Amino acid sequence: MKGWIILALLSGALYYLYTETDKLDAPIAKTEEVIQKIENKVSSAMGTQIIKIDQNLTKARKEILARLSAPEVEEFNKIPLTEDGIADFKESYCGTKATEHPIFSRDNLLFICDNL
């Protein structure tokens, strides 16, 4: 019972300080500033990772295109080079139980699966 009374008194005191005074303005501003810095760092780290993945994908795409014949290049360009598009392609044509692709040769299909 005493715990609830103390909690109610602390809550009332914080509410009063927050609404009727400016005593909590500085700590709240400081906390918001720290949160903003953390969000910026996380955003920056995620952006760097996305750029790195995109550069790897660009390099792999160039290597794949250099190896393919003209009809295979045309078919490869139909594959959406997004995370979901690549996952769908791999699910359909890569792996032991995958079906053969009607356009890509077996060797080129294996090369694509290994490099995407």
Side-chain angles (χ1 to χ4, degrees):
M1 186 71 135
K2 283 185 178 181
W4 289 106
I5 294 171
I6 293 172
L7 184 60
L9 289 173
L10 286 173
S11 297
L14 282 174
Y15 180 77
Y16 173 77
L17 288 172
Y18 181 72
T19 58
E20 301 296 325
T21 69
D22 59 355
K23 300 284 185 203
L24 294 178
D25 289 348
I28 290 171
K30 182 86 168 161
T31 303
E32 288 175 351
E33 182 181 328
V34 169
I35 290 171
Q36 186 63 41
K37 284 182 181 178
I38 291 170
E39 287 175 351
N40 290 343
K41 285 184 181 182
V42 168
S43 177
S44 174
M46 295 302 283
T48 301
Q49 184 179 12
I50 290 168
I51 291 169
K52 186 175 183 180
I53 290 170
D54 190 43
Q55 289 173 345
N56 291 339
L57 186 59
T58 301
K59 182 181 176 192
R61 185 178 186 282
K62 285 180 184 177
E63 290 174 359
I64 292 168
L65 289 175
R67 181 183 173 117
L68 301 178
S69 66
E72 290 174 326
V73 167
E74 188 175 322
E75 186 68 20
F76 182 75
N77 286 332
K78 293 178 184 176
I79 301 170
L81 294 180
T82 62
E83 207 172 301
D84 292 336
I86 292 170
D88 289 343
F89 179 83
K90 284 186 169 187
E91 184 178 319
S92 298
Y93 299 108
C94 301
T96 56
K97 295 184 180 181
T99 60
E100 288 191 29
H101 196 280
I103 306 290
F104 296 119
S105 70
R106 184 179 175 98
D107 289 337
N108 285 343
L109 185 60
L110 288 172
F111 187 78
I112 292 168
C113 290
D114 289 342
N115 286 290
L116 282 183

